[in-house]
């Protein structure tokens, strides 16, 4: 999985400069040359358009913390976080934006019970909704802190018991599995430089994803993201 993430990130980094040269919605796009011209500065401080969409990709460093020892994956597992974002300004030419999107996120964790290794793979379709505040640091670059929440639905994954060499569905009626629905808080900060975007975010799970009501399991995830905004 780590190799997959690295290859995906390298592919995005390769494509980004190529896309930049043809990005007609850039605030630095020069109609006469058909290229980006950073001395051309067609736009002023805030975006002249009210809505945007973007592609996002990066690693997620996740844990699933539980008071049931057979479900406690409190050691970090690395997964993939990929999706699309869309947002719009809440005021004309203002700094406040509402952003949502749809992501495929690989969460879970790693644990050890009596010397036996466990890996919890919890794959979700996740929809965040956050409020962003844009702080200009250059005419083409801005810092964007944000705060909001997310809801997610489990779509796959396996719990692997390496001691018994057994694996079973992460989302089932088995008491040693998890509920599909998850929700929690999301916070973080991004930086937007023209069409290029980078972000660090944190998901704090608030929903109990444990099947047994007498136990509690919650997700957490630290995510690093690169992307393009159109």
């Amino acid at each position: 999985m780590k190799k997959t993430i690295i290859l995906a990130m390298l592919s995005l980094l390769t494509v980004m400069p190529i896309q930049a040269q043809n990005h007609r919605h850039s605030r630095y796009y020069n109609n006469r040359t058909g290229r980006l011209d950073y001395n051309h500065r067609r736009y002023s401080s805030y975006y002249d358009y009210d809505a945007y969409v973007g592609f996002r990709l990066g690693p997620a460093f996740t844990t699933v913390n539980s008071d049931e020892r057979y479900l406690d994956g409190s050691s970090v597992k690395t997964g993939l976080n990929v999706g699309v974002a869309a947002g719009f300004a809440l005021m004309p030419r203002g700094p406040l934006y509402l952003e949502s999107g749809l992501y495929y996120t690989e969460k879970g964790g790693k644990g050890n019970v009596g010397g036996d290794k466990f890996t919890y793979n919890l794959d979700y379709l996740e929809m965040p909704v956050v409020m962003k505040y844009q702080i200009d640091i250059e005419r083409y670059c801005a810092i964007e802190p944000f705060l909001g929440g997310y809801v997610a639905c489990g779509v796959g994954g396996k719990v692997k018991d390496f001691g018994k060499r057994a694996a079973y569905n992460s989302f089932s009626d088995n008491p040693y599995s998890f509920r599909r629905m998850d929700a929690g808080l999301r916070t973080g900060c991004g930086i937007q430089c023209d069409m290029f975007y980078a972000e660090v975010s944190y998901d704090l799970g608030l929903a109990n994803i444990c099947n047994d009501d007498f136990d509690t399991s919650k997700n957490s995830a630290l995510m690093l993201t690169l992307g393009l905004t159109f």
Side-chain angles (χ1 to χ4, degrees):
M1 179 51 65
K2 291 182 180 179
K3 291 182 179 179
T4 301
I5 296 172
I6 292 171
L7 288 173
M9 295 287 284
L10 289 174
S11 298
L12 179 61
L13 289 172
T14 301
V15 170
M16 285 172 73
I18 299 172
Q19 290 295 324
Q21 294 300 322
N22 299 295
H23 185 49
R24 296 177 181 275
H25 298 292
S26 167
R27 68 183 74 181
Y28 296 102
Y29 183 77
N30 190 322
N31 287 315
R32 291 185 301 172
T33 64
R35 299 174 64 87
L36 293 183
D37 180 355
Y38 287 93
N39 294 315
H40 183 60
R41 296 191 179 178
R42 187 180 67 181
Y43 285 78
S44 58
S45 181
Y46 296 110
Y47 296 143
D48 278 2
Y49 46 88
D50 292 329
Y52 61 88
V53 295
F55 174 74
R56 306 287 186 255
L57 172 69
F61 306 99
T62 68
T63 61
V64 53
N65 299 288
S66 179
D67 51 15
E68 165 54 62
R69 61 177 185 152
Y70 286 101
L71 296 177
D72 184 40
S74 53
S75 295
V76 173
K77 184 182 79 70
T78 303
L80 178 67
N81 179 51
V82 59
V84 293
F88 60 90
L90 294 177
M91 58 186 72
R93 300 180 61 79
L96 198 59
Y97 290 80
L98 183 67
E99 182 177 293
S100 186
L102 186 64
Y103 293 80
Y104 170 75
T105 306
E106 296 175 340
K107 293 186 177 182
K110 298 178 181 179
N112 192 295
V113 182
D116 292 339
K117 177 184 174 182
F118 282 76
T119 300
Y120 309 93
N121 299 298
L122 310 178
D123 303 337
Y124 291 94
L125 281 180
E126 184 169 308
M127 185 178 71
V129 179
V130 299
M131 196 81 71
K132 284 190 167 185
Y133 188 84
Q134 187 181 78
I135 305 168
D136 279 358
I137 56 177
E138 294 286 349
R139 292 190 68 179
Y140 64 92
C141 197
I143 294 174
E144 301 178 345
F146 58 85
L147 177 66
Y150 74 90
V151 293
C153 179
V155 294
K158 295 286 185 181
V159 175
K160 297 180 180 179
D161 180 346
F162 287 84
K164 295 181 179 178
R165 299 190 63 81
Y168 50 90
N169 195 319
S170 297
F171 303 106
S172 68
D173 294 330
N174 188 317
Y176 295 117
S177 62
F178 301 90
R179 295 173 180 168
R180 290 188 183 274
M181 299 307 298
D182 185 27
L185 297 177
R186 169 171 289 196
T187 186
C189 188
I191 182 167
Q192 182 79 41
C193 290
D194 193 26
M195 66 177 291
F196 305 113
Y197 184 76
E199 173 187 289
V200 57
S201 61
Y202 183 73
D203 281 0
L204 176 64
L206 299 180
N208 180 13
I209 60 172
C210 188
N211 271 327
D212 189 342
D213 290 331
F214 293 95
D215 296 311
T216 301
S217 300
K218 294 182 179 181
N219 280 312
S220 64
L222 176 68
M223 292 169 285
L224 306 177
T225 306
L226 292 177
L228 298 170
T229 300
F230 304 93

